[in-house]
Amino acid sequence: MRVVSLVPSLTEAVARSVPGVLAGATNWCTHPADLDVVRVGGTKNPETDRVLALAPDLVIANEEENREPDLAALREAGVEVLVTEVRDVPQAFRELARVLEACGARGRPRWLDEAETAWSVLPEPGSAMTAVVPVWRRPWMVLGRDTFAGDVLARLGVDHVYARHPERYPRIPVDDLNAAAPDVVVLPDEPYRFTAHDGPEAFPGLPCALVSGRHLTWYGPSLSEAPRLLTRALRAAHR
């Protein structure tokens, strides 16, 4: 089987679980670090001609990360496209199992069982910590309703302020973000690469937690360590 992945999370999951089936992946597919496959452009702008030239049996995609016109073009060319939808942690596990089965995995990989266990044994959250979670600046955009990252945080006892906003990734002026006075500002390093020198200065007086975007937004092998590492980063912001 030959598979092209247009989703970094799924690239890592397939590469680790079904070695050798990946023929292509996006430029943003950074894990595993030694992945040696043809690169086919970005998640939002894949080079469909290059994908087709790889003659894949299956292209794996995601309804949020990839654009429907690109996926439609691949289908019209006769390629099977599997589109995932991931809005919460349980759905991530179901979709990962579906993708791996479609890619020819023989049984469930050990990391998937370990990841499910890591999330199933979490203690019940106590009083929720409030947060705003920017994912972009210029303009400022934050997590809104119905997002995988929002569900990840909720399971760790973090109630992000815009969880009930009508939009999934609303644009909110930075003055309004500060006025919301959250307990913490969560700054991931992707899709926008927030750093200690690019992000916290916009929130004077508010604790800022710099977190790994891979652990906050990816659904794959990183889910095994995500609860521990995200909790550590959140606690560090309040020291």
Side-chain angles (χ1 to χ4, degrees), residues 132 134 136-144 161-162 165 167 169-178 180 203:
V132 295
W136 203 257
R137 68 182 301 178
R138 304 184 196 93
W140 286 94
M141 300 175 66
V142 300
L143 289 186
V161 173
Y162 296 96
H165 193 280
E167 299 177 24
Y169 298 98
R171 297 184 180 190
I172 308 292
V174 70
D175 288 347
D176 291 353
L177 299 181
N178 277 286
F203 303 96

Side-chain angles (χ1 to χ4, degrees), residues 8 11 26-35 39 190 214 218:
T11 297
T26 75
N27 299 338
W28 298 103
C29 294
T30 56
H31 287 73
D34 61 351
L35 182 66
R39 301 296 172 160
E190 62 175 81
R214 177 168 167 261
W218 287 34

Side-chain angles (χ1 to χ4, degrees), residues 3 14 44 57 98 106 122 201 213:
V3 176
V14 173
K44 300 296 185 187
D57 300 296
R98 182 167 74 102
R106 297 180 178 178
L122 288 176
E201 81 288 346

Side-chain angles (χ1 to χ4, degrees), residues 32-54:
D34 61 351
L35 182 66
D36 183 17
V37 297
V38 174
R39 301 296 172 160
V40 297
T43 57
K44 300 296 185 187
N45 56 346
E47 300 173 37
T48 54
D49 289 346
R50 177 168 284 195
V51 174
L52 295 173
L54 292 172

Side-chain angles (χ1 to χ4, degrees), residues 141-208:
M141 300 175 66
V142 300
L143 289 186
R145 66 168 180 84
D146 194 24
T147 64
F148 172 73
D151 186 61
V152 164
L153 290 172
R155 291 170 187 273
L156 299 177
V158 179
D159 181 11
H160 70 95
V161 173
Y162 296 96
R164 286 156 285 283
H165 193 280
E167 299 177 24
R168 296 186 67 217
Y169 298 98
R171 297 184 180 190
I172 308 292
V174 70
D175 288 347
D176 291 353
L177 299 181
N178 277 286
D183 296 321
V184 65
V185 179
V186 179
L187 297 171
D189 61 9
E190 62 175 81
Y192 186 90
R193 189 172 180 79
F194 288 107
T195 69
H197 306 291
D198 184 356
E201 81 288 346
F203 303 96
L206 292 177
C208 291

Side-chain angles (χ1 to χ4, degrees), residues 129 156 208-212 215 225-239:
M129 176 190 305
L156 299 177
C208 291
L210 293 165
V211 304
S212 160
H215 293 108
E225 57 187 8
R228 174 175 55 86
L229 295 181
L230 290 172
T231 297
R232 179 191 300 172
L234 290 165
R235 287 176 178 167
H238 283 275
R239 288 176 184 167

